[in-house]
């Protein structure tokens, strides 16, 4: 099947997928339909997961014909699926702009998590991340984000969604918030926002909005508690430092069901010393949070090395003893380049 042809075909018309209730109301008005038709379309798109306009049988035949002439549902099937020996599946999805992004489905007993992308590539340039090496090729629309969910063969199994794939969610916050609105709204998927986590390196322009316009969990990519060292690994530190956003996070109430976590990839000899752990305890003392220690998955041409399991266990135990809830995240999908920091579609996008 020629997936490039599919991408270009879908690009001819606007997609209904990704439109919120207000926008579907505008579509209804364009079609000369009553206002309640917006709710009918939303139910077909987001509750029933319809794939064709003709399936919206409570709309008149003439209304469906008008919609078909002006809009597509907008679902784009995965162009490729790879399955890891541990059961993780990595999907390659085409986007409205003619690019590709990767999503990772992670089954785990009674949980099934989908790691979704928010951008084609990423601007952040983190030195240890394959997506950062890809560079930035474009924003995903809300429809592109939702397509990763609604075109997923295992969609009915999902229990959690994490915005931890390609891209920096706060650098595409309008579309991320629109997607999460649809996922959590009564007219949409009706999920609790507590089933969704939005990850960020910490961006000034988006942090305030994320904290006050969303009830989803927040995960901060930290990786080093010393600003000057973090800046060498993560250029975003130079424009919005730990010294700025940690106090901002501390002003929020994290005692309810909303969770704050910090992601910490452990690099041998770089961020795994006792001094790093002491500073991490000091830095996070004002916060109700948890730390997830993550194994470094080696990427080509990098000076970074992963720390041994014994080091990660020592760090976990130190943090726990000093009042910081800490876990070691299980590594999944490394053999298919689906683990943390390994997503990259540069080669596929360059083929277009």
């Amino acid at each position: 099947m020629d997936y490039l042809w599919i991408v270009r075909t879908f690009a001819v018309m606007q997609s209904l997928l990704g439109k919120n209730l207000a926008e579907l109301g505008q579509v209804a008005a364009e079609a000369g339909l009553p206002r309640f038709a917006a709710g009918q379309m939303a139910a077909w798109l987001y509750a029933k997961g319809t794939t064709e306009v003709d399936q919206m049988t409570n709309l008149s035949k003439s209304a469906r014909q008008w919609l078909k002439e002006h809009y597509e549902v907008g679902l784009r099937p995965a162009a490729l699926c790879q399955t890891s020996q541990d059961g993780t599946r990595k999907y390659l999805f085409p986007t409205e702009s003619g690019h590709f992004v990767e999503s990772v489905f992670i089954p785990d007993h009674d949980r099934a998590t989908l790691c979704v992308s928010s951008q084609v590539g990423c601007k952040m340039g983190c030195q240890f991340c394959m997506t950062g090496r890809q560079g930035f090729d474009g924003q995903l629309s809300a429809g592109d984000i939702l397509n990763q969910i609604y075109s997923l063969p295992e969609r009915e199994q999902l229990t959690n969604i994490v915005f931890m794939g390609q891209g920096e969610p706060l650098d595409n916050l309008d579309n991320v918030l629109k997607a999460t609105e649809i996922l959590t709204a009564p007219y949409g998927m009706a999920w609790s926002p507590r089933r969704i986590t939005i990850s960020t390196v910490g961006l000034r322009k988006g942090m305030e909005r994320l904290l006050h316009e969303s009830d989803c969990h927040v995960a901060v990519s930290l990786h080093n508690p010393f600003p000057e060292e973090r800046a060498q690994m993560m250029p975003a530190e130079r424009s919005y430092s730990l010294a700025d956003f940690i106090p901002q996070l501390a002003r929020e109430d994290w005692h309810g069901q909303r969770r704050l976590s910090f992601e910490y990839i452990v690099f041998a000899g770089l961020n795994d010393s006792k001094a790093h752990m002491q500073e991490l305890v000091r830095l996070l003392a004002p916060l109700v949070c948890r730390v997830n220690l993550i194994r470094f998955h080696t990427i080509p041409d990098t000076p970074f090395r992963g720390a041994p399991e014994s080091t990660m266990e020592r760090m976990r135990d130190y943090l726990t003893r000093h009042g910081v809830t800490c876990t070691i995240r299980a590594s999944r999908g490394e053999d298919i380049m689906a683990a943390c920091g390994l997503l990259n579609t540069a080669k596929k996008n360059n083929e277009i």
Side-chain angles (χ1 to χ4, degrees), residues 22-33:
E23 291 169 328
L24 290 174
Q26 294 172 0
V27 173
E30 291 173 20
L33 297 172

Side-chain angles (χ1 to χ4, degrees), residues 19 132 205 295:
K19 293 188 180 297
K205 68 178 182 179
R295 296 169 182 83

Side-chain angles (χ1 to χ4, degrees), residues 110-131:
D110 59 343
R111 290 171 60 91
T113 301
L114 183 66
C115 180
V116 301
S117 294
S118 55
Q119 295 179 310
V120 184
C122 186
K123 300 177 187 176
M124 299 300 106
C126 297
Q127 298 299 306
F128 47 83
C129 178
M130 286 293 288
T131 308

Side-chain angles (χ1 to χ4, degrees), residues 200-277:
T200 177
V201 299
L203 293 186
R204 185 186 304 275
K205 68 178 182 179
M207 185 69 82
E208 190 75 19
R209 290 187 60 197
L210 175 64
L211 294 175
H212 297 133
E213 295 181 32
S214 169
D215 291 322
C216 297
H217 296 314
V218 177
V220 178
S221 296
L222 182 60
H223 310 313
N224 201 307
F226 294 112
E228 63 277 10
E229 293 183 11
R230 187 173 187 258
Q232 294 177 11
M233 305 163 58
M234 306 172 67
E237 168 67 24
R238 299 188 182 99
S239 60
Y240 191 37
S241 175
L242 294 172
D244 296 317
F245 71 74
I246 293 296
Q248 182 181 18
L249 292 171
R251 291 192 292 270
E252 301 299 315
D253 181 8
W254 300 101
H255 290 84
Q257 292 184 327
R258 191 181 193 188
R259 185 173 65 243
L260 172 66
S261 60
F262 290 88
E263 312 297 298
Y264 197 98
I265 298 175
V266 185
F267 303 100
L270 187 62
N271 65 350
D272 59 350
S273 71
K274 185 175 181 180
H276 287 93
M277 293 303 95

Side-chain angles (χ1 to χ4, degrees), residues 5-305:
W5 177 85
I6 290 177
V7 171
R8 288 172 174 164
T9 299
F10 275 101
V12 171
M13 294 185 179
Q14 286 192 58
S15 297
L16 293 172
L17 189 74
K19 293 188 180 297
N20 59 26
L21 194 61
E23 291 169 328
L24 290 174
Q26 294 172 0
V27 173
E30 291 173 20
L33 297 172
R35 185 177 300 176
F36 64 78
Q40 293 175 317
M41 285 188 281
W44 285 107
L45 290 168
Y46 302 126
K48 300 175 183 178
T50 188
T51 58
E52 301 288 343
V53 170
D54 275 334
Q55 295 170 347
M56 301 180 182
T57 51
N58 55 356
L59 299 180
S60 68
K61 188 174 181 180
S62 61
R64 281 178 275 154
Q65 183 59 39
W66 186 93
L67 284 174
K68 286 192 298 181
E69 291 172 359
H70 295 83
Y71 292 93
E72 296 279 358
V73 168
L75 291 172
R76 295 173 299 283
L80 181 68
C81 174
Q82 296 172 271
T83 302
S84 167
Q85 60 186 2
D86 63 26
T88 299
R89 298 187 187 99
K90 183 172 72 171
Y91 289 93
L92 183 72
F93 284 108
T95 72
E96 293 177 1
S97 63
H99 292 90
F100 288 89
V101 292
E102 292 180 327
S103 310
V104 182
F105 174 73
I106 309 168
D108 185 18
H109 303 292
D110 59 343
R111 290 171 60 91
T113 301
L114 183 66
C115 180
V116 301
S117 294
S118 55
Q119 295 179 310
V120 184
C122 186
K123 300 177 187 176
M124 299 300 106
C126 297
Q127 298 299 306
F128 47 83
C129 178
M130 286 293 288
T131 308
R133 288 191 175 188
Q134 178 176 335
F136 178 71
D137 292 310
Q139 305 284 20
L140 296 191
S141 67
D144 287 325
I145 294 169
L146 292 174
N147 183 65
Q148 298 169 69
I149 300 161
Y150 279 89
S151 288
L152 186 77
E154 302 88 355
R155 177 167 65 92
E156 296 301 325
Q157 302 174 33
L158 287 179
T159 60
N160 299 87
I161 292 170
V162 294
F163 282 78
M164 297 181 180
Q166 293 175 272
E168 163 55 54
L170 268 61
D171 193 41
N172 187 20
L173 192 55
D174 285 341
N175 287 316
V176 168
L177 290 178
K178 185 192 287 189
T180 58
E181 172 198 335
I182 292 167
L183 289 170
T184 58
Y187 70 81
M189 212 165 178
W191 270 31
S192 166
R194 308 304 187 231
R195 296 171 67 179
I196 303 170
T197 299
I198 299 175
S199 176
T200 177
V201 299
L203 293 186
R204 185 186 304 275
K205 68 178 182 179
M207 185 69 82
E208 190 75 19
R209 290 187 60 197
L210 175 64
L211 294 175
H212 297 133
E213 295 181 32
S214 169
D215 291 322
C216 297
H217 296 314
V218 177
V220 178
S221 296
L222 182 60
H223 310 313
N224 201 307
F226 294 112
E228 63 277 10
E229 293 183 11
R230 187 173 187 258
Q232 294 177 11
M233 305 163 58
M234 306 172 67
E237 168 67 24
R238 299 188 182 99
S239 60
Y240 191 37
S241 175
L242 294 172
D244 296 317
F245 71 74
I246 293 296
Q248 182 181 18
L249 292 171
R251 291 192 292 270
E252 301 299 315
D253 181 8
W254 300 101
H255 290 84
Q257 292 184 327
R258 191 181 193 188
R259 185 173 65 243
L260 172 66
S261 60
F262 290 88
E263 312 297 298
Y264 197 98
I265 298 175
V266 185
F267 303 100
L270 187 62
N271 65 350
D272 59 350
S273 71
K274 185 175 181 180
H276 287 93
M277 293 303 95
Q278 290 172 332
E279 180 62 12
L280 198 55
V281 169
R282 188 200 67 79
L283 186 71
L284 302 184
L287 298 167
V288 178
C289 63
R290 70 169 55 236
V291 172
N292 295 315
L293 300 179
I294 302 172
R295 296 169 182 83
F296 174 57
H297 304 106
T298 304
I299 62 177
D301 304 318
T302 177
F304 302 115
R305 295 179 296 112

